[in-house]
Amino acid sequence: AGGSDGQHAKLNERWKALMDKVPKEQMFAVDMRDQGRIELKLRVFISNSEDSRTIEQYIKMFPDQKPAPFVVLCDCLAVAAAFNTAFMDPTSDASVADRLRKQSKSRGVRFVREYIYKVANSSELSTNTLRGHDGARALQDRITAAAREQFNPIEHGHVTSAIVFRAADRTLAGGANFGAP
């Protein structure tokens, strides 16, 4: 393992805080082929957030730790929300931006959860892999490749493709109206 004991302790404390605050929709159970039911906690982080940087730093400091305390399932899962700006404007209403972020995270979690359900009864996935015994990045390439199969082309800054979904419009005026995103 790399890094000082102080760095390790600080990262372990931060990691514990991240795992203690797992939203209900990011926890689920999956029945594994010949291995029974296991409980999983998913965490979805915004790219380049403090939380994602903390995890990346931990992996760099302890690249060979097995079992890994966590498993990176997808390095960068691009999710885009389509919505009618006449009724939902995240640039002028922070609550709209927050709702869109939450919906995007939920879509990302749903994609990963459905992928795990799909491969749980195949030889592609084992409990040991999900539990970090094959390292922190053992599943990353497979899930990222599966996500890219779901991507649609978009043009938004540096993002050229993403999983696109229609955002739920909870405004009174926009409930049934959906125009060009």
Side-chain angles (χ1 to χ4, degrees):
S4 72
D5 289 341
Q7 287 174 313
H8 190 148
K10 183 178 178 182
L11 285 173
N12 276 337
E13 180 180 316
R14 179 73 180 134
W15 175 247
K16 183 178 178 346
L18 291 173
M19 290 310 299
D20 286 346
K21 299 182 207 170
V22 179
K24 283 191 295 188
E25 70 272 4
Q26 294 181 24
M27 292 188 277
F28 69 102
V30 63
D31 294 316
M32 299 294 294
R33 177 182 57 94
D34 301 329
Q35 299 172 49
R37 178 169 281 233
I38 64 168
E39 303 286 324
L40 296 174
K41 294 179 180 180
L42 296 180
R43 289 303 315 260
V44 176
F45 303 110
I46 303 299
S47 297
N48 221 11
S49 68
E50 181 182 337
D51 294 339
S52 67
R53 286 191 307 267
T54 298
I55 292 167
E56 190 61 35
Q57 182 182 13
Y58 192 100
I59 290 172
K60 285 179 182 175
M61 288 176 63
F62 309 102
D64 300 321
Q65 185 177 3
K66 292 180 184 174
F70 51 87
V71 176
V72 177
L73 298 176
C74 194
D75 186 41
C76 186
L77 181 59
V79 179
F83 56 92
N84 186 333
T85 57
F87 301 107
M88 299 171 63
D89 185 3
T91 62
S92 65
D93 186 346
S95 68
V96 170
D98 288 342
R99 258 194 338 268
L100 291 172
R101 269 192 293 278
K102 287 178 184 177
Q103 288 180 38
S104 295
K105 277 186 163 187
S106 293
R107 286 296 167 133
V109 168
R110 186 166 90 181
F111 170 80
V112 171
R113 192 172 49 225
E114 287 173 356
Y115 176 85
I116 290 172
Y117 286 149
K118 184 173 95 175
V119 299
N121 290 310
S122 71
S123 60
E124 292 180 50
L125 190 61
S126 73
T127 301
N128 282 343
T129 300
L130 284 172
R131 295 286 187 221
H133 293 278
D134 296 328
R137 298 192 185 272
L139 290 171
Q140 180 178 328
D141 291 342
R142 285 188 270 170
I143 295 177
T144 300
R148 287 195 175 120
E149 291 175 12
Q150 303 293 316
F151 281 11
N152 292 306
I154 64 168
E155 291 186 30
H156 180 73
H158 66 280
V159 178
T160 58
S161 62
I163 295 174
V164 180
F165 70 96
R166 179 179 170 196
D169 184 352
R170 291 182 172 72
T171 64
L172 294 175
N177 297 312
F178 183 77

